[in-house]
Amino acid sequence: MILVFFYLLGLLRWFFGDDTQSASFVETGVIPWFTYPLMLGILGLLALLTIRYLGDILPNSAVVLLLISIPFFFLVGRTISYVDLHFILTGFWEKRMFLYIFVFVSVLAPIPLVKLIQANRSRKVFTIVGLSVFISLIVVSGFSSLALQSEFWFLHSRLSLINDEVIQGVDFLKKILQQETHAFTITPSSSSYYIADFAVPPYQFWPPQISVFSKYPDISLLSLNSYHLTHAYIFMRANDFNILRGQESWFGGHLLPLLPVVFSNNNVTIYNATHVTYPNSNSETTLVIPSDPTIVPEDSWFYAYDVISQGNLNYTVKYDNDHTALKSKNVILSFDPPKGNTRDIYYKFGHPNSWRIISGSWKFLEDGLHGGDLSSGVSKIILSPISSKNFTINTLLRIHDISPNAGNYASITYSWINPANYKAAEVAIWKEKVYVSFITANEGELSRDTPWPGTLTNLSWKPDTVFNMTFSTKGNLVELAVNDTRLLHENQNSNSGYVGLGYGRIRDVVFDHFQITHPAPLNPRDSSDYISYVKSGGNILVENFL
């Protein structure tokens, strides 16, 4: 009765407790004691009732063996968990022992039911058949679970077999580590970690997720300098690249493409990671990075990390708006400070980026962003990732081919909310003459500041003519200049929205670049602060890799 009491107590502990998640069993392999009743269910309770019949069971040595096996595997599992948690990872887990416990419980559980049949004096056929079927299901379920789990382990182990190419990679790594006794290894996955063990490295970084999936360099640089060993070799299998794909990490997106490959075949790639230093909390040199990551692309100031860390410098990393950023003796700027708290973003077209196509046909080619098709639509738009209200935009465009019998349009789109609500500064080509106008789309209805085709200019169009468009908005004032001549200006109720480019009816227009200058929302440190720092005796080195 005491065992039954604790069995039911375990069920109540699990039911009313909210601090246990089954996912933790898979990760750690440890099974809390109170979840055994939950996992064994009614079979475990029936097996406990078997103890009532010990007098009949003890003469049968086979049944005694079953009884002893259950606490034996339970104690073995608990011992494995204790050693794994407090001493060393054994490579075995308590959760593996549970399956054997379940098998023996399934064999013992029918005994109380058999005794019930024997005590049933009525011996009705229906009752006997029903209990017999139930007993058979209990026993078969236990052995079938063991068979299915064994088959799973067999198939899974075959998938994890080390093929010849992986063995070649391990042998190569082992020879290197025999010569470089103070080098260590990093692997992106636990399976590669265990395979790299065969190369007998003096140290393997664990857990790899901390280093591999970190978005910024600091933690990864710390792992590459583990225990101040000389340097790391990165052991990558083909599946490891799939793990990194789609992850926004410094390790996979920036570091690996820069590292030299010392071994490679179809299944294994080994990189030689140069010795690096990692950021410290205090030093005489401070690497200043932008507080607003949109001031410059992240991958540009990542290179500043590369130069400093591979130069074995003792350095600290701080954001530019940190009040202590200019307190050290030396400052390394990873970007050009914006002037007047504005940011200048320059997109040089030629490869796909984070721009979003709303409508039309757009292609990123080597000579720029191409737009154009043969449709009659007058508004085909592609948007940048930037949303702003006060800004200046500049772009160079070349119109290669037009529709000769219709108006042709190229535009800078702004205040874009949705396809039915936006504004645009437009250049129109009609019979080789150039017109300009401001366009407003309000709930799908287009309107112009002047009658179509717009305000006539002294410009004309010929194939491959280059137009330098500059559009600016400040408060309610908007202005459009073409080829450095201001052609339009007016007051508008402009709203904040996305900015981008557009075309209409043009067969082929090429935008060379897109440059936008607008206030930085996080108010980065003004450039005058750096000038004052130098005048007071500080040293500044600018490492801008744009």
Side-chain angles (χ1 to χ4, degrees), residues 204-394:
Q204 284 206 76
F205 183 82
W206 182 266
Q209 292 82 1
I210 295 177
S211 172
V212 171
F213 298 121
S214 176
K215 182 178 180 180
Y216 295 111
D218 306 72
I219 295 178
S220 298
L221 290 172
L222 177 62
S223 66
L224 290 170
N225 194 275
S226 297
Y227 295 101
H228 300 288
L229 295 170
T230 53
H231 71 103
Y233 285 99
I234 300 175
F235 183 84
M236 301 277 296
R237 293 190 302 151
N239 188 56
D240 294 331
F241 290 99
N242 295 329
I243 295 174
L244 292 176
R245 188 174 294 116
Q247 298 289 337
E248 191 177 359
S249 72
W250 176 83
F251 183 91
H254 180 82
L255 177 65
L256 286 184
L258 299 178
L259 294 180
V261 176
V262 296
F263 177 86
S264 179
N265 59 29
N266 292 329
N267 278 278
V268 173
T269 303
I270 301 176
Y271 296 90
N272 184 355
T274 307
H275 175 75
V276 295
T277 55
Y278 54 87
N280 294 309
S281 57
N282 291 295
S283 69
E284 292 186 348
T285 301
T286 299
L287 172 63
V288 177
I289 61 177
S291 55
D292 182 357
T294 61
I295 293 177
V296 292
E298 286 180 347
D299 56 358
S300 67
W301 50 269
F302 283 171
Y303 292 107
Y305 270 95
D306 297 339
V307 173
I308 298 173
S309 62
Q310 294 180 27
N312 291 326
L313 294 179
N314 185 19
Y315 64 100
T316 303
V317 177
K318 294 182 179 180
Y319 286 109
D320 64 305
N321 58 5
D322 190 322
H323 69 281
T324 63
L326 301 181
K327 298 295 184 181
S328 59
K329 181 179 179 180
N330 307 302
V331 168
I332 299 176
L333 272 177
S334 61
F335 63 99
D336 287 328
K339 297 179 181 179
N341 281 347
T342 60
R343 58 182 177 182
D344 193 357
I345 302 177
Y346 185 88
Y347 292 97
K348 178 64 176 177
F349 296 120
H351 58 84
N353 49 39
S354 54
W355 284 53
R356 177 164 48 117
I357 296 176
I358 303 301
S359 57
S361 175
W362 300 90
K363 297 179 181 179
F364 292 91
L365 302 178
E366 291 185 0
D367 59 340
L369 173 63
H370 283 247
D373 54 47
L374 299 178
S375 68
S376 59
V378 297
S379 182
K380 308 298 177 65
I381 296 174
I382 185 171
L383 294 178
S384 76
I386 300 170
S387 176
S388 185
K389 181 178 180 180
N390 298 308
F391 54 84
T392 298
I393 293 175
N394 174 261

Side-chain angles (χ1 to χ4, degrees), residues 50-229:
T50 304
I51 299 176
R52 292 185 55 189
Y53 305 101
L54 281 177
D56 299 330
I57 292 174
L58 287 178
N60 191 330
S61 59
V63 179
V64 172
L65 180 62
L66 295 178
L67 277 173
I68 296 175
S69 298
I70 294 175
F72 171 76
F73 282 110
F74 175 79
L75 292 175
V76 169
R78 302 305 293 177
T79 303
I80 291 174
S81 294
Y82 184 82
V83 173
D84 285 343
L85 293 175
H86 296 88
F87 297 101
I88 188 173
L89 291 175
T90 62
F92 298 94
W93 300 275
E94 181 182 356
K95 63 182 181 180
R96 291 285 183 89
M97 298 297 108
F98 173 79
L99 182 62
Y100 300 107
I101 295 175
F102 184 78
V103 171
F104 292 118
V105 166
S106 299
V107 176
L108 288 177
I111 292 178
L113 299 177
V114 172
K115 295 295 182 180
L116 179 62
I117 294 176
Q118 294 175 352
N120 187 359
R121 297 179 179 179
S122 62
R123 298 184 181 273
K124 293 182 179 180
V125 176
F126 178 79
T127 303
I128 295 175
V129 172
L131 288 174
S132 300
V133 171
F134 185 54
I135 292 171
S136 301
L137 289 175
I138 292 175
V139 177
V140 171
S141 66
F143 283 102
S144 62
S145 297
L146 176 62
L148 291 173
Q149 189 67 46
S150 300
E151 183 180 10
F152 168 78
W153 287 342
F154 174 75
L155 296 175
H156 184 71
S157 62
R158 288 180 62 86
L159 293 175
S160 303
L161 288 177
I162 302 177
N163 57 37
D164 292 339
E165 290 184 332
V166 175
I167 292 175
Q168 292 174 7
V170 172
D171 287 341
F172 182 88
L173 181 61
K174 184 176 182 179
K175 292 177 182 178
I176 291 179
L177 295 176
Q178 287 174 345
Q179 298 175 2
E180 301 183 39
T181 56
H182 290 81
F184 66 102
T185 59
I186 295 177
T187 55
S189 63
S190 57
S191 57
S192 295
Y193 176 92
Y194 295 125
I195 290 176
D197 270 340
F198 290 103
V200 198
Y203 173 72
Q204 284 206 76
F205 183 82
W206 182 266
Q209 292 82 1
I210 295 177
S211 172
V212 171
F213 298 121
S214 176
K215 182 178 180 180
Y216 295 111
D218 306 72
I219 295 178
S220 298
L221 290 172
L222 177 62
S223 66
L224 290 170
N225 194 275
S226 297
Y227 295 101
H228 300 288
L229 295 170

